[in-house]
Structures are given as structure tokens and as C-alpha cells.
Amino acid sequence: MIQRIQTVYLLIVTGLLITAMCLPMGYFTDTMGEHSFKALGIELNGAYESTWGLFCILLLSTIVAVATIFSYKNRMLQIRMTIFNSLLLVGYYIAFLAFYFALKNDANMFRVGWALCLPLVSIILNILAVRAIGRDEVMVKAADRLR
């Protein structure tokens, strides 16, 4: 069952989340120039502001996605792990908003980077993976009834 379509979805989720960890989520622009807002932190006004919580959420979500791929023998656990992964990514956006409002002031402006949409794409792919895993579970139960 490891060669199913949900494995492809979850591999894409893993790649997208690793990419989101490495690329800037946006840019703060002020009189000192443009500062990239990455998952590990941002340097504003000469001080480094750590946002390691965002990095930890993305890292945990990546680990859950990889573990979900290899739990293909237990489909119900796979569904639960994928839903948990989606909830983690929703939590990522909530944490991002908290850091954004903590770092934003009247002197700087924020420009969104395209890497900020990658966890949203991962949520959509997680939903597709849950649907595919559910179809597999229905197919296996139907085959068990026929025996």
C-alpha cells in the first residue's frame, strides 16, 4: 500500500514544508531597509527577534508527514496523523499571526512572501490524502466482506 496516491500527496507535503522552513515568509520594510522574516527569526532594528516556534511547528509537521507515509498498514492511524498534521499547520498560521502582530509597528511595512502559502497547499494535500486513505479503507473492508 505504500505505492498509493496518498503517499505521493504526503511526499509533496514533506517537500513543501521543508521548502517553507528555508524560505522567507515575508519581508518587513522600514527606513533601515528590507528584513526577511524567516521561520527561525528576523533581524529588526539591530536586534535579532527569534521566531523559532514557527520553525518547530513546521519541523514537527514534516516529521508527522514522513511518519504517516510509513504507517501504511494502519490506515485509521494514518488518517488521524494526517488530520493532526493539518491542525498543526492551522496552528502555524495562528502562531504566524501572533508573531506578525508582535513585530509589526507603525514604522515598518510587511510584504508577504510566496513561501507563506506553502503550508496552505500542504493542508489541501493533507485533505486529499485523507480522502484517498478513506477510499482504501472502504475498499479493504469491501474485500473482507466478500471472503
Side-chain angles (χ1 to χ4, degrees), residues 32-137:
M32 301 292 286
E34 190 171 77
H35 311 283
S36 62
F37 181 25
K38 293 187 177 183
L40 278 175
I42 182 172
E43 187 174 338
L44 278 175
N45 303 326
Y48 185 77
E49 300 288 336
S50 177
T51 58
W52 60 268
L54 295 174
F55 182 80
C56 288
I57 292 173
L58 287 177
L59 183 65
L60 181 63
S61 185
T62 304
I63 292 169
V64 168
V66 170
T68 304
I69 292 171
F70 293 109
S71 65
Y72 58 89
K73 290 186 180 184
N74 190 349
R75 285 172 296 281
M76 293 312 291
L77 176 66
Q78 212 174 15
I79 288 174
R80 285 188 203 111
M81 288 175 70
T82 307
I83 291 171
F84 175 70
N85 198 1
S86 295
L87 291 175
L88 270 176
L89 292 173
V90 169
Y92 166 80
Y93 279 113
I94 293 169
F96 172 79
L97 286 175
F99 281 115
Y100 167 74
F101 286 120
L103 297 173
K104 178 83 171 113
N105 59 25
D106 293 336
N108 58 17
M109 297 193 43
F110 185 73
R111 183 171 52 95
V112 176
W114 64 272
L116 189 60
C117 72
L118 295 179
L120 179 64
V121 175
S122 297
I123 291 171
I124 294 168
L125 288 171
N126 277 333
I127 293 169
L128 292 174
V130 166
R131 290 179 60 201
I133 296 166
R135 278 192 302 246
D136 279 354
E137 182 66 21

Side-chain angles (χ1 to χ4, degrees), residues 18-26 37-39 114-115 118:
I18 289 172
T19 304
M21 278 189 272
C22 299
L23 295 177
M25 298 173 283
F37 181 25
K38 293 187 177 183
W114 64 272
L118 295 179

